[in-house]
Amino acid sequence: MSTPYPFTAVVGQTDLRLALLLNAVSPAVGGVLVRGEKGTAKSTAVRALSALLPQVDVVPGCRFSCAPAAPDPHCPDGPHGAGPGGARPARMVELPVGASEDRLVGALDIERALAEGVKAFEPGLLADAHRGILYVDEVNLLHDHLIDLLLDAAAMGASYVEREGVSVRHAARFLLVGTMNPEEGELRPQLLDRFGLTVEVAASREPAQRVEVVRRRLSYEDDPAGFAARWSGDESEVRARVVAARALLPQVRLGDNALLQIAATCAGFEVDGMRADIVMARTATALAAWAGRTAVLKEDVRQAALLALPHRRRRNPFDAPGLDEDKLDEILDRFPDEEPEHDPDPEPDPGTDPEPGPDDGPENPQGPDDGGGPDGGGGVPPQGGGPQDAQPPADPAEAPADSPEAPRQPSAQEDGGPEQAAVRAAEPFRTKMLSVPGLGEGAAGRRSRARTAHGRTTGAQRPRGQLTKLHLAATVHAAAPHQKARGRAGRGLVIRKDDLRQATREGREGNLVLFVVDASGSMAARQRMSAVKGAVLSLLLDAYQRRDKVGLVTFRGAAAQLALPPTSSVDAAAARLEKLPTGGRTPLGSGLLKAHEVLRIERLRDPSRRPLLVVVTDGRATSAGAVGGDPRELTTRSARLLAADGVASVVVDCESGPVRLGLAGALAADLGGPAVTLDGLRADSLAGLVKDVRTAVTTPASHTTRRAA
């Protein structure tokens, strides 16, 4: 077993270390969600925390880590009699992103349960993590149903396994820690709320701090055991402080003023529900115990708010998490602290440095940092969902193809005008749901019909691999004709493995929604482009709620570009859309060809995820870009190429004014999908419009232009 990196050797990341230690003091705080860019010591700090937890007493031989003094009465290995227990270190169990439901909650042997009437149960990761730490790296990439099971177990302190009337229950109380990179997608708001605390981390931009990160990391890799030995004294001090804070925690008094401060803060920031108030109360109490006090002070409430509220204030996925500290101070100043009642000497402010160590010396004045890699660091992360993009210069205008003269600067009418600055998007609205026809088998989501592990039962089949969802009626039907030949004597059925049938279920899947957005001069009118961006933003919000991947292709001037490769982060797509400039000619055909290339590559990476192409344009094509030729002919060929590949498409018609050419409708006919107007995209304005997007696999009559009024 490799020597873990010491917790106290992590450089910087004060909030991260404090949040982890507060949960070690009081697991009732509800866990920690760590958000930040890669290489910022997220995983390193979490894996190092287990060494600071006190040892746990367990019943010898119990696979579910029951405590000898109070064993779980429902333990599958029980009942446990009185007797001495054994001590072992607290475990740190890691849940892989690709884990199955049975790996998480445990597996029940259905064959033995039906044939022998016994509960043959193999514990899962929840049982292993009982009374320890359950760590989920990249929690935002975990399947939704696994997150639901995980958070339900964390809330109830128990895990339930149900298989066709056969159930097993066991205790599952653990410290839940999740890490994620927001650029790869967000958690749903209701799941964010289930994490007690959240911390934003980013790499330090201070050279001295980064040097210290590299120095410590190289020293650790050269001699892990020796490096850990040099920090063993600091580790022991923090471990003793955790034990002392746990012992002091029941004596901490949460006064009326502190409760008023907590309630006023949650109300002032308009936080939904009451979970925030409860988490803040528990966090403030843990902070007081960590500081060696028996009374909660205003500084504890303030620090608790900074850790417990930012992720609960998001109203939609495009809101950056954070808290206005000036407003927080204004609220707290209304309620003075109560006089402490004979508190012992307070410890140093835990918000400043949660543990002693060499990080406090002049060698590292900025505080500790990563230790997990050379790019770690502390500080405040940049706002937004992804890296900032430098906008390309305006494309050079093209001379008319039939001009014998040297290239000249085209007129505004020919080129669509010069590049214009980006405009803000209009207010988003609720859109009509667009779905891909047919039955898919992609990742679980909320858009198109698909065969999924969860949903309504539609039939039965022989299991492929391990049986997970038993179809009881089909199993009995398969076994019934063979009972006499198998020598059945009693009332029970004689079940064999060949009789078992897996239930097939139908639910919803997430799709790849690829936006192809016209940013040419014909779209450059400020009010019009604002409405277009508002519509795309609304579709992005819908994609977020339906758990889709999204991508963004834009075209203007002489070429198309992939502004955002397919990703689960709609935050990143919204940020790119907000900064999108307009101007230049309209290479519509190039935009469609770029979309075809993106979808071809993505099909190789994720063949089960079906695409939905959303083209936002007025249908004008005034440039063939680098391909050359007639722009309209290129557009038609590109659209039919996508239709031939069976790509489900919809065209959002941005044409405005009293005279309408119907070009977007013609494009929709070539793509084999419907065309909707900007106004018609609203959910309350699409009465009578077909729900499913048509593909190229349709009758010729379906290729007629369909336009919403």
Side-chain angles (χ1 to χ4, degrees), residues 482-500:
H482 309 289
Q483 295 305 297
K484 185 175 181 180
R486 294 174 183 174
R488 173 184 169 186
R491 298 178 59 185
L493 288 174
V494 179
I495 302 291
R496 293 182 179 174
K497 189 171 184 179
D498 290 343
D499 302 327
L500 299 178

Side-chain angles (χ1 to χ4, degrees), residues 573-663:
R576 308 292 170 88
L577 179 71
E578 190 70 23
K579 293 177 290 189
L580 179 66
T582 55
R585 292 192 173 193
T586 311
L588 178 54
S590 298
L592 297 177
L593 286 177
K594 173 63 74 172
H596 181 269
E597 178 187 355
V598 171
L599 294 179
R600 179 185 62 82
I601 295 174
E602 193 64 20
R603 191 178 295 117
L604 297 175
R605 294 174 177 170
D606 191 358
S608 64
R609 189 180 290 268
R610 297 186 294 165
L612 173 61
L613 183 68
V614 180
V615 185
V616 185
T617 182
D618 57 9
R620 291 182 174 87
T622 61
S623 171
V627 179
D630 181 75
R632 293 187 181 182
E633 183 181 346
L634 176 63
T635 299
T636 300
R637 293 202 315 266
S638 303
R640 291 177 179 174
L641 179 63
L642 286 162
D645 282 351
V647 177
S649 306
V650 60
V651 177
V652 180
D653 185 357
C654 303
E655 191 174 26
S656 60
V659 179
R660 303 176 65 86
L661 302 178
L663 298 176

Side-chain angles (χ1 to χ4, degrees), residues 106-295:
L108 194 64
D109 191 329
I110 301 297
E111 184 178 2
R112 291 190 61 192
L114 290 176
E116 304 175 27
V118 297
K119 295 181 181 179
F121 182 69
E122 184 66 28
L125 295 177
L126 291 179
D128 293 341
H130 180 45
R131 304 175 69 195
I133 301 172
L134 182 61
Y135 172 45
V136 188
D137 193 13
E138 306 294 351
V139 64
N140 52 326
L141 303 183
L142 202 64
H143 285 180
D144 283 352
H145 74 283
L146 292 182
I147 296 177
D148 293 336
L149 290 171
L150 179 65
L151 296 179
D152 284 344
M156 295 185 298
S159 174
Y160 294 84
V161 182
E162 301 283 347
R163 293 289 188 275
E164 300 294 340
V166 182
S167 62
V168 172
R169 176 203 177 278
H170 65 83
R173 290 182 294 275
F174 47 81
L175 171 58
L176 176 63
V177 181
T179 57
M180 59 176 282
N181 184 346
E183 292 182 9
E184 297 173 343
E186 284 284 357
L187 284 174
R188 303 196 311 264
Q190 60 268 39
L191 298 183
L192 276 173
D193 187 54
R194 298 294 291 270
F195 282 94
L197 309 180
T198 186
V199 178
E200 297 278 340
V201 296
S204 172
R205 300 299 183 257
E206 292 292 333
Q209 203 170 39
R210 298 175 75 96
V211 166
E212 184 63 19
V213 171
V214 175
R215 181 183 293 119
R216 294 189 188 183
R217 188 66 192 184
L218 294 179
S219 178
Y220 167 74
E221 292 177 353
D222 288 341
D223 182 11
F227 184 84
R230 291 195 294 274
W231 291 87
S232 60
D234 299 284
E235 294 280 290
S236 298
E237 289 182 21
V238 176
R239 190 180 302 110
R241 190 173 173 186
V242 169
V243 173
R246 281 190 175 187
L248 184 62
L249 187 64
Q251 305 173 36
V252 176
R253 180 176 57 85
L254 188 64
D256 290 341
N257 267 19
L259 285 172
L260 283 172
Q261 291 169 353
I262 291 170
T265 300
C266 293
F269 284 103
E270 300 180 354
V271 177
D272 295 333
M274 295 299 298
R275 183 174 284 117
D277 302 64
I278 296 171
V279 171
M280 274 191 65
R282 290 172 174 166
T283 306
T285 303
L287 279 162
W290 179 248
R293 288 185 267 100
T294 57

